[in-house]
Amino acid sequence: MRYRIISLFVVFVLCLPFKTWAASVPVLISEVQTGSATSASQEFVELYNPTDQDVSLNSWTVEYKPATSGSWAKRATLSGTIKSHGFYLVAPKTYLSQADADWSSGLSGTGGHVRLVDSDKTVMDLVGYGETANAAETAPAAAPPAGQSIERLAGRLIEDGGNAVDTDDNSKDFVIRTTPQPQSTSSALEVPAASNDVPDADKPVDDPSPTPVTYLPLQLSELLVNPASPLTDAKDEFIEIYNPNQQPVSLAGYTLRTGSSFHDYYVLGEVNISPNDYYTVYSSDSHLSLTNSGGAAQLLDPTGVVVSQSDAYEAAPEGQSWALIDGTWQWTLQTTPDRPNVLVKPVVDVASVSTTASGTTKKASSTTSAKTTTAPTSKSTTTKVAAAKTSKPSTTKTVSSAVAAATESKTGRWLLIGALVITIGYGIYEFRYDLQNFYYLGKRKFGLGRTDRPRS
């Protein structure tokens, strides 16, 4: 009886339609651009096949739904095959001629949904973007700015490692890519974790446990967030990395992250940092943006572990660096790419107190100069301090004179008012009879002070 049940189960499984098997084969949406920097209709949707087998896309569709309302609408019908670890590009062919399928544009730049549906009407993947997207997987990804895209993370956070991270949470699986990279069936294949496929000759073949990899600690040491003119944000912003170890460290596979929720990222290449040395990554190469209004930066090792993170900064002063000095992140006027950080803070010098012609005191304008905490006090600074001490008595005397002048001016005003009151009083006394005659004449003429009585 037991063998009969097993036989029936095997027959049932073998008789299942092939499409039931195919539905379990994932093809993922790997990158989406909702518009270029020049046109909102220049869009694309990129697909990636992370499996070890080719997948036929005949009669598959790519569909779109607005962020908060509306129904799904077909925007492209696919055909052909997506290779194992290969890409497939859906885009208006008037925009990207290498596209594998034509696309009817109309994606909203602020929020929406894109999904991939197979020929059996099974939803293979779905991406929601923008804060208002109400049908995303768990939480929506950030909406890409014009000219940028959202891209699914690579399996090992490396540039050529495929886009295979799928946790069913769009907010975690996708990041902003500042320079979009649309890839089609003609693009190179990307095999995730290909570097781990080479067996270790010193390890027994039957040992399934991987060799642990230890990455030496590195530190973020300086951020130039708001370069002063003529430097520009697009070219001259930088992130500096420091190697505190006693041996060189390769940066291959390390990742820098910036932006809101650290969505923007840049994967470093084959660069070695010598012991106790620095390496500076400029925005002209990484295309990372450090927001002037506030933010932070992260450094991740090739396994995706955060090994260093800067303290968060607020509004960035122009021309100053956010630097790690004596274990504390702080602003400094001295930018030092590829060199040890130096704390140079702005200081305010009060020039002097002067007296105006009206007798009021007025503080002179403050001037800002740089003060380096590590530099010794110079002769000119000592002279300035001595001069300030020497001028202190004269300043006190000037203020006393101003107060005395103000007091004398106040007394004079009261004397003037008193003299005016006495003059008016003397005039009334001198002409009192004339004023009395005027009063009686007016009383008789106009009836001033008279009360009309009824006649008897």
Side-chain angles (χ1 to χ4, degrees):
M1 182 68 181
R2 182 180 60 183
Y3 294 108
R4 183 178 298 176
I5 294 174
I6 295 175
S7 300
L8 290 173
F9 177 77
V10 171
V11 171
F12 172 77
V13 171
L14 293 177
C15 291
L16 285 174
F18 174 75
K19 285 184 179 179
T20 304
W21 290 93
S24 64
V25 177
V27 175
L28 301 173
I29 298 171
S30 53
E31 188 173 356
V32 178
Q33 176 183 290
T34 61
S36 70
T38 57
S39 174
S41 62
Q42 293 182 339
E43 309 164 349
F44 72 80
V45 176
E46 176 194 273
L47 309 178
Y48 176 67
N49 177 8
T51 72
D52 294 328
Q53 57 183 300
D54 297 347
V55 176
S56 172
L57 299 181
N58 289 328
S59 300
W60 288 35
T61 58
V62 177
E63 302 175 353
Y64 169 72
K65 187 181 87 69
T68 58
S69 62
S71 58
W72 291 95
K74 181 175 67 176
R75 291 298 173 84
T77 301
L78 314 185
S79 63
T81 299
I82 182 170
K83 298 177 182 178
S84 169
H85 305 120
F87 296 89
Y88 190 99
L89 184 61
V90 185
K93 292 192 175 182
T94 55
Y95 170 46
L96 297 173
S97 59
Q98 75 271 28
D100 301 298
D102 206 6
W103 169 259
S104 175
S105 60
L107 298 181
S108 169
T110 57
H113 307 81
V114 177
R115 73 180 183 182
L116 176 64
V117 179
D118 71 4
S119 57
D120 200 30
K121 307 304 179 184
T122 300
V123 177
M124 301 300 295
D125 194 21
L126 185 153
V127 177
Y129 63 92
E131 294 181 356
T132 58
N134 61 8
E137 292 182 349
T138 306
Q148 301 182 27
S149 65
I150 53 173
E151 183 181 47
R152 186 180 294 275
L153 287 172
R156 287 177 57 84
L157 293 177
I158 56 177
E159 183 67 20
D160 298 324
N163 305 99
V165 172
D166 186 18
T167 65
D168 291 331
D169 187 339
N170 295 155
S171 65
K172 294 180 179 179
D173 295 343
F174 284 82
V175 294
I176 297 291
R177 186 183 179 102
T178 54
T179 304
Q181 186 186 22
Q183 298 174 93
S184 65
T185 52
S186 61
S187 301
L189 303 181
E190 293 185 5
V191 182
S195 60
N196 290 342
D197 294 338
V198 180
D200 188 348
D202 298 329
K203 185 172 59 176
V205 177
D206 59 349
D207 183 2
S209 62
T211 301
V213 179
T214 302
Y215 293 95
L216 294 174
L218 296 173
Q219 292 180 350
L220 294 178
S221 55
E222 185 176 359
L223 313 178
L224 179 58
V225 180
N226 186 14
S229 182
L231 303 182
T232 64
D233 291 350
K235 293 183 178 180
D236 302 296
E237 289 184 354
F238 69 71
I239 301 174
E240 181 187 75
I241 304 170
Y242 173 63
N243 176 14
N245 304 286
Q246 298 304 311
Q247 63 187 82
V249 175
S250 172
L251 289 177
Y254 280 80
T255 304
L256 288 172
R257 289 184 175 275
T258 63
S260 174
S261 301
F262 302 106
H263 273 91
D264 297 346
Y265 74 99
Y266 173 72
V267 182
L268 296 158
E270 293 286 347
V271 177
N272 289 329
I273 306 183
S274 300
N276 301 308
D277 204 358
Y278 300 83
Y279 179 73
T280 303
V281 181
Y282 287 89
S283 56
S284 57
D285 297 320
S286 67
H287 302 291
L288 290 176
S289 177
L290 296 168
T291 307
N292 291 348
S293 59
Q298 285 182 341
L299 177 66
L300 289 71
D301 70 17
T303 65
V305 176
V306 177
V307 295
S308 182
Q309 178 172 324
S310 72
D311 285 357
Y313 61 86
E314 296 182 350
E318 187 178 68
Q320 298 189 35
S321 286
W322 185 237
L324 182 62
I325 302 174
D326 295 331
T328 302
W329 283 92
Q330 51 195 310
W331 294 109
T332 174
L333 286 170
Q334 183 68 50
T335 59
T336 54
D338 297 326
R339 302 191 308 277
N341 297 333
V342 178
L343 180 60
V344 181
K345 286 190 173 182
V347 295
V348 178
D349 294 331
V350 179
S352 61
V353 179
S354 61
T355 305
T356 63
S358 62
T360 60
T361 59
K362 186 176 182 181
K363 184 188 292 185
S365 300
S366 299
T367 59
T368 303
S369 60
K371 180 180 179 181
T372 307
T373 58
T374 58
T377 304
S378 64
K379 182 177 180 182
S380 60
T381 304
T382 305
T383 305
K384 185 186 291 185
V385 173
K389 290 182 178 179
T390 305
S391 62
K392 187 174 181 181
S394 61
T395 302
T396 305
K397 183 177 180 181
T398 303
V399 174
S400 300
S401 300
V403 174
T407 303
E408 292 175 1
S409 176
K410 188 174 181 180
T411 304
R413 285 197 298 270
W414 282 111
L415 290 174
L416 180 61
I417 292 173
L420 182 61
V421 172
I422 293 173
T423 301
I424 294 173
Y426 177 77
I428 294 173
Y429 175 78
E430 185 68 26
F431 297 100
R432 63 186 182 281
Y433 297 112
D434 295 330
L435 293 174
Q436 187 177 17
N437 290 333
F438 279 123
Y439 171 74
Y440 286 119
L441 287 173
K443 184 176 181 181
R444 287 195 296 270
K445 184 174 183 179
F446 299 105
L448 294 174
R450 185 180 69 185
T451 303
D452 293 333
R453 299 176 181 176
R455 294 181 182 181
S456 57

